[in-house]
Coordinates of all heavy atoms in Angstrom, one line a residue:
M1 N 166.1 89.2 131.8 CA 165.0 88.3 131.7 C 163.7 88.9 132.1 O 162.7 88.7 131.4 CB 165.3 87.1 132.6 CG 164.3 86.1 132.7 SD 164.6 84.9 131.5 CE 163.4 83.6 132.0
I2 N 163.6 89.7 133.2 CA 162.4 90.4 133.5 C 162.0 91.3 132.5 O 160.8 91.5 132.2 CB 162.5 91.1 134.9 CG1 162.8 90.0 136.0 CG2 161.3 91.9 135.2 CD1 163.0 90.6 137.4
G3 N 162.9 92.0 131.9 CA 162.6 93.0 130.8 C 162.0 92.3 129.6 O 161.1 92.8 129.0
A4 N 162.5 91.1 129.3 CA 161.9 90.3 128.1 C 160.5 89.9 128.4 O 159.6 89.9 127.6 CB 162.9 89.1 127.8
L5 N 160.3 89.4 129.7 CA 158.9 89.0 130.1 C 158.0 90.2 130.0 O 156.8 90.0 129.6 CB 159.0 88.3 131.5 CG 159.5 86.9 131.5 CD1 159.6 86.5 133.0 CD2 158.7 86.0 130.7
A6 N 158.4 91.3 130.5 CA 157.6 92.5 130.5 C 157.2 92.9 129.1 O 156.1 93.3 128.8 CB 158.2 93.6 131.3
L7 N 158.2 92.8 128.2 CA 158.0 93.2 126.8 C 157.0 92.2 126.2 O 156.1 92.6 125.4 CB 159.3 93.2 126.1 CG 159.3 93.8 124.7 CD1 158.8 95.2 124.7 CD2 160.7 93.7 124.0
L8 N 157.1 90.9 126.5 CA 156.2 89.9 125.9 C 154.8 90.1 126.5 O 153.8 90.1 125.7 CB 156.7 88.5 126.3 CG 155.8 87.3 125.9 CD1 155.7 87.3 124.4 CD2 156.3 86.0 126.5
F9 N 154.7 90.5 127.7 CA 153.4 90.7 128.3 C 152.7 91.9 127.7 O 151.5 91.9 127.3 CB 153.5 90.9 129.8 CG 152.2 91.2 130.5 CD1 151.3 90.2 130.7 CD2 151.9 92.5 130.9 CE1 150.1 90.5 131.3 CE2 150.7 92.8 131.5 CZ 149.8 91.8 131.7
I10 N 153.5 93.0 127.5 CA 152.9 94.2 126.9 C 152.5 93.9 125.4 O 151.4 94.4 125.0 CB 154.0 95.4 126.9 CG1 154.2 95.8 128.4 CG2 153.6 96.5 126.0 CD1 155.3 96.8 128.6
S11 N 153.3 93.2 124.7 CA 152.9 92.9 123.3 C 151.7 92.0 123.2 O 150.8 92.2 122.4 CB 154.1 92.3 122.5 OG 154.4 91.0 123.1
L12 N 151.5 91.1 124.2 CA 150.3 90.3 124.2 C 149.1 91.1 124.6 O 148.0 90.9 124.0 CB 150.5 89.1 125.2 CG 151.4 88.0 124.7 CD1 151.6 86.9 125.8 CD2 150.9 87.3 123.5
A13 N 149.3 92.0 125.5 CA 148.1 92.8 126.0 C 147.7 93.8 124.9 O 146.5 93.9 124.7 CB 148.5 93.6 127.2
T14 N 148.6 94.3 124.1 CA 148.1 95.2 123.1 C 147.6 94.5 121.9 O 146.7 95.0 121.2 CB 149.3 96.1 122.6 OG1 150.4 95.3 122.2 CG2 149.7 97.1 123.7
A15 N 148.0 93.2 121.7 CA 147.5 92.4 120.6 C 146.0 92.0 120.8 O 145.2 91.9 119.9 CB 148.3 91.2 120.3
R16 N 145.6 91.9 122.1 CA 144.3 91.5 122.4 C 143.4 92.7 122.7 O 142.2 92.5 123.1 CB 144.3 90.6 123.7 CG 145.0 89.3 123.4 CD 144.9 88.4 124.6 NE 145.6 87.1 124.3 CZ 145.8 86.2 125.1 NH1 145.3 86.3 126.4 NH2 146.4 85.1 124.8
A17 N 143.9 93.9 122.6 CA 143.0 95.1 122.8 C 141.8 95.1 121.9 O 141.9 94.7 120.7 CB 143.9 96.3 122.7
A18 N 140.7 95.5 122.4 CA 139.5 95.6 121.6 C 139.7 96.6 120.5 O 140.3 97.6 120.6 CB 138.3 96.0 122.5
P19 N 139.1 96.2 119.3 CA 139.2 97.2 118.2 C 138.4 98.4 118.4 O 137.4 98.4 119.2 CB 138.7 96.4 117.0 CG 137.8 95.3 117.6 CD 138.4 95.0 118.9
K20 N 138.8 99.5 117.9 CA 138.1 100.8 118.1 C 136.8 100.7 117.3 O 136.7 100.2 116.2 CB 138.9 101.9 117.5 CG 140.2 102.2 118.3 CD 140.9 103.4 117.7 CE 142.2 103.7 118.5 NZ 142.9 104.8 117.9
P21 N 135.7 101.1 118.0 CA 134.4 101.0 117.3 C 134.4 102.0 116.2 O 134.9 103.1 116.2 CB 133.4 101.4 118.4 CG 134.3 102.2 119.4 CD 135.7 101.7 119.3
T22 N 133.7 101.6 115.1 CA 133.5 102.6 114.0 C 132.2 103.3 114.2 O 131.3 102.8 114.8 CB 133.4 101.8 112.7 OG1 132.4 100.8 112.8 CG2 134.7 101.0 112.4
T23 N 132.2 104.5 113.7 CA 131.0 105.3 113.8 C 130.1 105.1 112.6 O 130.7 105.0 111.5 CB 131.3 106.8 114.0 OG1 132.1 107.2 112.8 CG2 132.1 107.1 115.2
T24 N 128.9 105.0 112.8 CA 127.9 104.9 111.7 C 127.1 106.1 111.7 O 126.7 106.7 112.7 CB 127.0 103.7 111.9 OG1 126.4 103.7 113.1 CG2 127.8 102.4 111.8
P25 N 126.7 106.6 110.5 CA 125.9 107.8 110.4 C 124.5 107.5 111.0 O 124.0 106.5 110.9 CB 125.8 108.1 108.9 CG 126.2 106.8 108.2 CD 127.0 106.0 109.2
T26 N 124.0 108.5 111.7 CA 122.7 108.5 112.3 C 121.7 108.8 111.3 O 121.7 109.9 110.7 CB 122.6 109.4 113.5 OG1 123.7 109.1 114.4 CG2 121.3 109.3 114.2
P27 N 120.8 107.9 111.0 CA 119.8 108.2 110.0 C 118.8 109.3 110.5 O 118.5 109.4 111.7 CB 119.0 106.9 109.8 CG 119.3 106.1 111.0 CD 120.6 106.6 111.5
R28 N 118.3 110.1 109.5 CA 117.4 111.1 109.9 C 116.0 110.4 110.1 O 115.7 109.5 109.5 CB 117.2 112.1 108.7 CG 118.4 113.0 108.5 CD 118.2 114.1 107.5 NE 117.1 114.0 106.6 CZ 116.9 114.6 105.5 NH1 117.8 115.4 105.1 NH2 115.8 114.5 104.8
P29 N 115.3 110.9 111.1 CA 114.0 110.3 111.4 C 113.0 110.5 110.2 O 113.0 111.5 109.6 CB 113.5 111.0 112.7 CG 114.2 112.3 112.7 CD 115.6 112.0 112.0
I30 N 112.2 109.5 110.0 CA 111.2 109.6 109.0 C 109.9 110.1 109.7 O 109.5 109.5 110.7 CB 110.9 108.3 108.3 CG1 112.2 107.8 107.5 CG2 109.7 108.3 107.4 CD1 112.0 106.5 106.9
V31 N 109.4 111.2 109.2 CA 108.2 111.8 109.8 C 107.0 111.2 109.0 O 106.9 111.4 107.8 CB 108.2 113.3 109.7 CG1 107.0 113.9 110.3 CG2 109.5 113.8 110.4
V32 N 106.2 110.5 109.8 CA 105.0 109.9 109.2 C 103.8 110.8 109.5 O 103.6 111.2 110.6 CB 104.7 108.5 109.7 CG1 103.5 107.9 109.1 CG2 105.9 107.6 109.5
P33 N 103.0 111.2 108.4 CA 101.9 112.0 108.7 C 100.9 111.4 109.6 O 100.6 110.2 109.6 CB 101.2 112.2 107.3 CG 102.3 111.8 106.3 CD 103.2 110.8 107.0
T34 N 100.3 112.2 110.5 CA 99.3 111.8 111.5 C 98.1 112.7 111.4 O 98.3 113.9 111.1 CB 99.9 111.7 112.9 OG1 100.2 113.1 113.3 CG2 101.1 110.8 113.1
K35 N 97.0 112.2 111.8 CA 95.8 113.0 111.7 C 95.8 114.1 112.8 O 95.1 115.1 112.6 CB 94.6 112.1 111.9 CG 94.4 111.0 110.8 CD 94.0 111.7 109.6 CE 93.7 110.6 108.5 NZ 93.4 111.2 107.2
T36 N 96.5 113.9 113.9 CA 96.5 114.9 115.0 C 97.4 116.0 114.8 O 97.4 117.0 115.5 CB 96.8 114.2 116.3 OG1 98.1 113.6 116.2 CG2 95.8 113.1 116.6
S37 N 98.4 116.0 113.8 CA 99.4 117.0 113.7 C 99.0 118.2 112.8 O 99.8 119.1 112.5 CB 100.7 116.4 113.3 OG 100.6 115.8 112.0
G38 N 97.8 118.2 112.3 CA 97.3 119.2 111.4 C 96.8 118.6 110.1 O 96.6 117.4 110.0
K39 N 96.6 119.4 109.1 CA 96.0 118.9 107.9 C 97.1 118.3 107.0 O 98.2 118.9 106.8 CB 95.4 120.1 107.1 CG 94.9 119.7 105.8 CD 94.3 120.8 105.0 CE 93.8 120.4 103.6 NZ 93.6 121.4 102.7
T40 N 96.9 117.1 106.6 CA 97.8 116.4 105.7 C 97.2 116.4 104.3 O 96.1 116.0 104.1 CB 98.0 114.9 106.2 OG1 98.6 114.9 107.4 CG2 98.9 114.2 105.2
I41 N 98.0 116.9 103.4 CA 97.6 116.9 102.0 C 98.0 115.6 101.4 O 99.2 115.2 101.4 CB 98.2 118.1 101.2 CG1 97.8 119.4 101.8 CG2 97.8 118.0 99.7 CD1 98.5 120.6 101.4
E42 N 97.0 114.8 100.9 CA 97.3 113.5 100.4 C 96.8 113.3 99.0 O 95.7 113.8 98.7 CB 96.6 112.5 101.3 CG 96.8 111.0 100.9 CD 96.0 110.1 101.9 OE1 95.6 110.5 103.0 OE2 95.8 109.0 101.5
G43 N 97.6 112.8 98.1 CA 97.1 112.6 96.7 C 98.3 112.1 95.9 O 99.2 111.4 96.3
T44 N 98.2 112.4 94.6 CA 99.2 112.0 93.6 C 99.8 113.2 93.0 O 99.1 114.2 92.7 CB 98.5 111.2 92.4 OG1 97.8 110.1 93.0 CG2 99.5 110.6 91.5
V45 N 101.1 113.2 92.8 CA 101.8 114.3 92.2 C 101.3 114.5 90.8 O 101.5 113.6 89.9 CB 103.3 114.1 92.3 CG1 104.0 115.3 91.6 CG2 103.8 114.0 93.7
A46 N 100.8 115.7 90.5 CA 100.3 116.0 89.1 C 101.5 116.7 88.4 O 101.7 116.5 87.2 CB 99.1 116.9 89.2
A47 N 102.2 117.6 89.2 CA 103.4 118.3 88.6 C 104.3 118.8 89.7 O 103.8 118.9 90.8 CB 102.9 119.5 87.8
I48 N 105.5 118.9 89.4 CA 106.5 119.5 90.3 C 107.4 120.4 89.5 O 107.9 120.1 88.5 CB 107.3 118.4 91.0 CG1 108.1 119.0 92.1 CG2 108.0 117.5 90.1 CD1 108.6 118.0 93.2
F49 N 107.6 121.6 90.1 CA 108.5 122.6 89.5 C 109.2 123.4 90.6 O 108.5 124.0 91.4 CB 107.6 123.6 88.6 CG 108.5 124.6 87.9 CD1 109.3 124.2 86.8 CD2 108.5 125.9 88.3 CE1 110.1 125.1 86.2 CE2 109.3 126.8 87.7 CZ 110.1 126.5 86.6
D50 N 110.5 123.3 90.6 CA 111.3 123.9 91.7 C 110.8 123.4 93.0 O 110.9 122.3 93.3 CB 111.3 125.5 91.6 CG 112.1 126.0 90.4 OD1 113.0 125.3 89.9 OD2 111.8 127.1 89.9
N51 N 110.3 124.4 93.8 CA 109.8 124.0 95.2 C 108.3 123.9 95.3 O 107.8 124.0 96.4 CB 110.4 124.9 96.2 CG 110.0 126.3 96.1 OD1 109.6 126.7 95.0 ND2 110.0 127.1 97.1
E52 N 107.6 123.8 94.2 CA 106.2 123.8 94.2 C 105.7 122.4 93.7 O 106.2 121.9 92.6 CB 105.6 124.8 93.3 CG 105.7 126.2 93.9 CD 104.9 127.2 93.1 OE1 104.5 127.0 91.9 OE2 104.7 128.4 93.6
I53 N 104.8 121.8 94.4 CA 104.2 120.5 94.1 C 102.7 120.7 93.9 O 102.1 121.3 94.7 CB 104.4 119.4 95.2 CG1 105.9 119.2 95.4 CG2 103.8 118.1 94.8 CD1 106.2 118.3 96.6
T54 N 102.2 120.3 92.7 CA 100.8 120.3 92.5 C 100.3 118.9 92.7 O 100.8 117.9 92.1 CB 100.5 120.7 91.0 OG1 101.0 122.1 90.9 CG2 99.0 120.8 90.8
V55 N 99.3 118.8 93.6 CA 98.8 117.5 94.1 C 97.4 117.3 93.5 O 96.6 118.2 93.7 CB 98.8 117.4 95.6 CG1 98.3 116.0 96.1 CG2 100.2 117.6 96.2
N56 N 97.2 116.1 92.9 CA 95.9 115.7 92.5 C 95.2 115.0 93.7 O 95.6 113.9 94.1 CB 95.9 114.8 91.3 CG 94.6 114.5 90.7 OD1 93.6 115.1 91.1 ND2 94.6 113.6 89.7
L57 N 94.2 115.7 94.3 CA 93.6 115.2 95.5 C 92.6 114.1 95.2 O 92.1 114.0 94.0 CB 92.9 116.4 96.2 CG 93.8 117.6 96.6 CD1 92.9 118.7 97.1 CD2 94.8 117.2 97.6
P58 N 92.2 113.3 96.2 CA 91.3 112.2 95.9 C 89.9 112.7 95.4 O 89.2 112.0 94.6 CB 91.1 111.6 97.3 CG 92.3 111.9 98.0 CD 92.8 113.2 97.5
N59 N 89.5 114.0 95.6 CA 88.2 114.5 95.1 C 88.4 115.0 93.7 O 87.4 115.6 93.2 CB 87.7 115.5 96.1 CG 88.6 116.8 96.2 OD1 89.6 116.9 95.5 ND2 88.3 117.6 97.1
G60 N 89.5 114.9 93.1 CA 89.7 115.4 91.7 C 90.2 116.8 91.6 O 90.6 117.2 90.5
K61 N 90.3 117.5 92.7 CA 90.8 118.9 92.6 C 92.3 118.9 92.7 O 92.9 118.0 93.1 CB 90.2 119.7 93.8 CG 88.7 119.9 93.7 CD 88.2 120.8 94.9 CE 86.7 121.0 94.8 NZ 86.2 121.8 95.9
L62 N 92.9 120.0 92.2 CA 94.3 120.2 92.3 C 94.7 121.2 93.4 O 94.0 122.2 93.5 CB 94.9 120.7 90.9 CG 94.7 119.7 89.7 CD1 95.2 120.4 88.5 CD2 95.5 118.5 90.0
E63 N 95.7 120.9 94.1 CA 96.2 121.9 95.1 C 97.7 122.0 94.9 O 98.5 121.0 94.9 CB 95.9 121.4 96.5 CG 96.3 122.4 97.5 CD 95.8 122.1 98.9 OE1 94.9 121.3 99.1 OE2 96.3 122.7 99.9
T64 N 98.2 123.3 94.8 CA 99.6 123.5 94.6 C 100.2 124.0 96.0 O 99.6 124.9 96.6 CB 99.9 124.6 93.5 OG1 99.4 124.1 92.3 CG2 101.4 124.9 93.4
V65 N 101.3 123.4 96.4 CA 101.9 123.7 97.7 C 103.3 124.1 97.5 O 104.1 123.4 96.7 CB 101.8 122.4 98.6 CG1 102.4 122.7 100.0 CG2 100.4 121.9 98.7
T66 N 103.8 125.2 98.1 CA 105.2 125.6 98.1 C 105.9 124.9 99.2 O 105.4 125.1 100.4 CB 105.3 127.1 98.1 OG1 104.6 127.7 97.0 CG2 106.7 127.6 98.1
I67 N 107.0 124.2 99.0 CA 107.7 123.5 100.0 C 108.9 124.3 100.4 O 109.8 124.5 99.5 CB 108.1 122.1 99.5 CG1 106.9 121.3 99.0 CG2 108.8 121.3 100.6 CD1 105.8 121.0 99.9
P68 N 109.1 124.7 101.6 CA 110.3 125.4 102.1 C 111.5 124.5 101.9 O 111.4 123.3 102.0 CB 110.0 125.8 103.5 CG 108.5 125.7 103.7 CD 108.1 124.7 102.7
S69 N 112.7 125.1 101.7 CA 113.9 124.3 101.4 C 114.4 123.5 102.5 O 115.0 122.4 102.3 CB 115.0 125.3 101.0 OG 115.3 126.2 102.1
K70 N 114.0 123.8 103.8 CA 114.6 123.0 104.9 C 113.6 121.9 105.4 O 113.9 121.2 106.3 CB 114.9 123.9 106.1 CG 116.0 124.8 105.8 CD 116.5 125.6 107.0 CE 117.7 126.5 106.5 NZ 118.4 127.0 107.6
V71 N 112.5 121.7 104.7 CA 111.5 120.7 105.0 C 112.1 119.3 104.7 O 112.6 119.1 103.5 CB 110.2 120.9 104.3 CG1 109.3 119.7 104.5 CG2 109.5 122.2 104.9
P72 N 112.1 118.3 105.6 CA 112.6 117.0 105.2 C 111.7 116.3 104.2 O 110.4 116.4 104.3 CB 112.5 116.2 106.6 CG 111.7 117.0 107.5 CD 111.6 118.4 107.0
V73 N 112.3 115.7 103.2 CA 111.7 115.0 102.2 C 112.1 113.5 102.2 O 113.3 113.2 102.3 CB 112.0 115.6 100.8 CG1 111.4 114.8 99.7 CG2 111.6 117.0 100.7
V74 N 111.1 112.6 102.2 CA 111.4 111.2 102.2 C 110.7 110.6 101.0 O 109.5 110.8 100.7 CB 110.8 110.5 103.5 CG1 111.0 109.0 103.5 CG2 111.5 111.1 104.7
R75 N 111.5 109.8 100.2 CA 110.9 109.1 99.1 C 111.3 107.6 99.2 O 112.5 107.3 99.3 CB 111.4 109.7 97.8 CG 110.7 109.0 96.5 CD 111.0 109.8 95.3 NE 110.2 109.3 94.2 CZ 110.6 108.3 93.3 NH1 111.8 107.8 93.4 NH2 109.8 108.0 92.3
D76 N 110.3 106.7 99.1 CA 110.5 105.3 99.2 C 111.3 104.9 100.5 O 112.3 104.2 100.4 CB 111.2 104.7 98.0 CG 110.3 104.9 96.7 OD1 109.1 104.8 96.9 OD2 110.9 105.1 95.6
A77 N 111.0 105.6 101.6 CA 111.5 105.3 102.9 C 113.0 105.7 103.1 O 113.7 105.3 104.0 CB 111.4 103.8 103.3
M78 N 113.5 106.6 102.2 CA 114.9 107.1 102.2 C 114.9 108.6 102.2 O 114.1 109.2 101.5 CB 115.7 106.5 101.0 CG 115.8 105.0 100.9 SD 116.8 104.3 102.3 CE 118.3 105.0 101.9
P79 N 115.8 109.2 102.9 CA 115.9 110.7 102.8 C 116.1 111.1 101.4 O 116.9 110.4 100.7 CB 117.1 111.0 103.7 CG 117.2 109.9 104.6 CD 116.7 108.7 103.9
S80 N 115.5 112.1 100.9 CA 115.5 112.4 99.5 C 115.4 114.0 99.4 O 115.7 114.7 100.3 CB 114.3 111.8 98.9 OG 114.3 111.9 97.5
S81 N 115.1 114.4 98.1 CA 114.9 115.8 97.8 C 113.7 116.0 96.9 O 113.3 115.0 96.3 CB 116.2 116.3 97.2 OG 116.3 115.8 95.9
L82 N 113.3 117.2 96.8 CA 112.2 117.5 95.9 C 112.5 117.1 94.4 O 111.6 116.7 93.7 CB 111.7 118.9 96.0 CG 111.1 119.4 97.3 CD1 110.8 120.9 97.2 CD2 109.8 118.6 97.5
A83 N 113.7 117.2 94.1 CA 114.2 116.9 92.7 C 114.0 115.4 92.3 O 113.8 115.1 91.2 CB 115.6 117.3 92.5
Q84 N 113.9 114.6 93.3 CA 113.7 113.1 93.1 C 112.3 112.7 93.1 O 112.0 111.6 92.7 CB 114.5 112.3 94.1 CG 116.0 112.5 94.0 CD 116.8 111.8 95.0 OE1 116.3 111.7 96.2 NE2 118.0 111.4 94.7
I85 N 111.3 113.6 93.4 CA 109.9 113.3 93.4 C 109.5 113.4 91.9 O 109.9 114.3 91.2 CB 109.1 114.2 94.3 CG1 109.5 113.9 95.7 CG2 107.6 114.0 94.1 CD1 108.8 114.8 96.7
Q86 N 108.6 112.4 91.5 CA 108.2 112.4 90.1 C 106.7 112.4 90.1 O 106.0 112.1 91.0 CB 108.6 111.0 89.5 CG 110.1 110.9 89.5 CD 110.5 109.5 89.0 OE1 109.7 108.7 88.7 NE2 111.8 109.3 89.0
A87 N 106.2 112.9 88.9 CA 104.7 112.9 88.7 C 104.2 111.5 88.8 O 105.0 110.5 88.5 CB 104.4 113.4 87.3
T88 N 103.1 111.3 89.3 CA 102.4 110.0 89.7 C 102.8 109.4 91.0 O 102.3 108.4 91.4 CB 102.5 109.0 88.5 OG1 103.8 108.5 88.5 CG2 102.0 109.5 87.2
D89 N 103.9 110.0 91.7 CA 104.2 109.5 93.0 C 103.0 109.7 93.9 O 102.3 110.8 93.8 CB 105.4 110.2 93.6 CG 106.7 109.7 93.1 OD1 106.7 108.7 92.4 OD2 107.8 110.3 93.4
R90 N 102.8 108.8 94.8 CA 101.8 109.0 95.9 C 102.5 109.9 96.9 O 103.6 109.7 97.3 CB 101.4 107.7 96.5 CG 100.3 107.8 97.5 CD 99.0 107.5 96.9 NE 98.0 107.4 97.9 CZ 97.0 108.3 98.0 NH1 96.8 109.2 97.0 NH2 96.1 108.2 98.9
I91 N 101.8 111.0 97.4 CA 102.4 112.0 98.2 C 101.6 112.3 99.4 O 100.4 112.4 99.4 CB 102.8 113.2 97.4 CG1 103.8 114.1 98.2 CG2 101.6 114.0 97.0 CD1 104.7 114.9 97.3
F92 N 102.3 112.6 100.5 CA 101.7 113.1 101.8 C 102.5 114.3 102.2 O 103.7 114.2 102.4 CB 101.7 112.0 102.9 CG 101.1 110.7 102.5 CD1 101.7 109.8 101.8 CD2 99.8 110.5 102.9 CE1 101.1 108.6 101.5 CE2 99.1 109.3 102.6 CZ 99.8 108.3 101.8
I93 N 101.8 115.4 102.3 CA 102.5 116.7 102.8 C 101.9 117.0 104.1 O 100.7 117.3 104.2 CB 102.3 117.8 101.8 CG1 102.9 117.4 100.4 CG2 102.9 119.1 102.3 CD1 102.6 118.4 99.3
Q94 N 102.7 116.9 105.1 CA 102.2 117.1 106.5 C 102.3 118.6 106.9 O 103.4 119.2 106.7 CB 102.9 116.2 107.5 CG 102.4 116.3 108.9 CD 103.2 115.5 109.8 OE1 104.3 115.0 109.5 NE2 102.7 115.2 111.0
R95 N 101.3 119.2 107.4 CA 101.3 120.5 107.9 C 100.9 120.6 109.4 O 100.3 119.7 109.9 CB 100.2 121.4 107.2 CG 100.4 121.6 105.8 CD 99.5 122.7 105.3 NE 98.9 122.4 104.1 CZ 98.1 123.3 103.4 NH1 97.8 124.4 103.9 NH2 97.6 122.9 102.3
S96 N 101.4 121.6 110.1 CA 101.1 121.8 111.5 C 99.7 122.4 111.5 O 99.1 122.8 110.5 CB 102.1 122.8 112.1 OG 101.9 124.1 111.6
Q97 N 99.2 122.6 112.7 CA 97.8 123.2 112.9 C 97.8 124.6 112.3 O 96.8 125.1 111.8 CB 97.5 123.2 114.4 CG 97.3 121.9 115.0 CD 96.0 121.2 114.5 OE1 95.1 121.8 113.9 NE2 95.9 119.9 114.7
S98 N 99.0 125.3 112.4 CA 99.0 126.7 111.8 C 99.2 126.7 110.3 O 99.2 127.8 109.8 CB 100.1 127.4 112.5 OG 101.4 126.9 112.2
G99 N 99.4 125.6 109.7 CA 99.6 125.5 108.2 C 101.0 125.4 107.8 O 101.3 125.3 106.6
K100 N 102.0 125.4 108.7 CA 103.4 125.3 108.3 C 103.7 123.9 107.8 O 103.3 122.9 108.4 CB 104.3 125.6 109.5 CG 105.7 125.5 109.3 CD 106.5 125.7 110.6 CE 108.0 125.4 110.4 NZ 108.7 125.5 111.6
I101 N 104.4 123.8 106.7 CA 104.8 122.5 106.1 C 105.8 121.9 107.0 O 106.9 122.5 107.3 CB 105.3 122.7 104.7 CG1 104.3 123.4 103.8 CG2 105.7 121.3 104.1 CD1 103.1 122.7 103.5
L102 N 105.6 120.6 107.4 CA 106.5 119.9 108.3 C 107.3 118.9 107.6 O 108.5 118.7 107.9 CB 105.7 119.2 109.5 CG 104.8 120.2 110.3 CD1 104.0 119.4 111.3 CD2 105.7 121.1 111.1
S103 N 106.7 118.1 106.7 CA 107.4 117.1 106.0 C 106.7 116.7 104.7 O 105.5 117.0 104.5 CB 107.6 115.8 106.9 OG 106.3 115.3 107.1
V104 N 107.5 116.0 103.8 CA 106.9 115.5 102.5 C 107.3 114.1 102.5 O 108.5 113.7 102.6 CB 107.5 116.3 101.3 CG1 107.0 115.7 100.0 CG2 107.2 117.8 101.4
L105 N 106.3 113.2 102.2 CA 106.6 111.8 102.1 C 106.0 111.3 100.8 O 104.8 111.6 100.5 CB 105.9 111.0 103.2 CG 105.9 109.5 103.2 CD1 107.3 109.0 103.3 CD2 105.0 108.9 104.3
A106 N 106.9 110.7 99.9 CA 106.5 110.3 98.6 C 106.7 108.8 98.5 O 107.8 108.3 99.0 CB 107.2 111.0 97.5
I107 N 105.8 108.1 97.9 CA 106.0 106.6 97.7 C 105.5 106.3 96.3 O 104.8 107.0 95.7 CB 105.2 105.8 98.7 CG1 103.8 106.2 98.9 CG2 105.9 105.8 100.1 CD1 103.0 105.4 99.9

């Protein structure tokens, strides 16, 4: 009888055990260009080829920037790649004070 009660208690205890939590992927942080972190190149994508983006600046000049492969790219608030950036996208290329490319944001 005691064995049956113990078995019943164990089965009830395991049935009520909390479910194992599921892991969710940690999103990569979105880097937003700021005025204090260096020069931000802002404009419209005129052309993109491999890892080079030509930006049409607000003053009408063109500037071509080579983007290193490990630089984070965000398009429409989602982690992305240079291959998904299109001509006419609005773009912000953030640089450090020393000129190193930190991030690319396209909308």
Side-chain angles (χ1 to χ4, degrees):
M1 176 91 168
I2 294 176
L5 285 174
L7 190 59
L8 177 64
F9 178 74
I10 291 172
S11 66
L12 287 175
T14 56
R16 293 184 182 176
K20 292 182 180 179
T22 57
T23 58
T24 56
T26 305
R28 292 184 347 195
I30 296 175
V31 180
V32 178
T34 61
K35 296 289 185 187
T36 58
S37 61
K39 180 183 176 192
T40 298
I41 300 168
E42 178 181 343
T44 305
V45 176
I48 186 163
F49 182 73
D50 288 335
N51 64 336
E52 289 188 345
I53 299 175
T54 301
V55 180
N56 188 6
L57 303 173
N59 63 9
K61 294 183 179 180
L62 295 176
E63 184 168 347
T64 300
V65 182
T66 301
I67 309 297
S69 61
K70 294 189 180 195
V71 168
V73 176
V74 175
R75 183 170 190 265
D76 295 329
M78 299 293 294
S80 189
S81 68
L82 289 178
Q84 293 176 329
I85 293 177
Q86 300 173 2
T88 72
D89 280 353
R90 185 94 174 119
I91 195 155
F92 301 86
I93 301 172
Q94 184 181 16
R95 290 196 226 183
S96 68
Q97 293 290 345
S98 65
K100 177 182 174 185
I101 304 295
L102 301 174
S103 66
V104 176
L105 173 65
I107 49 177

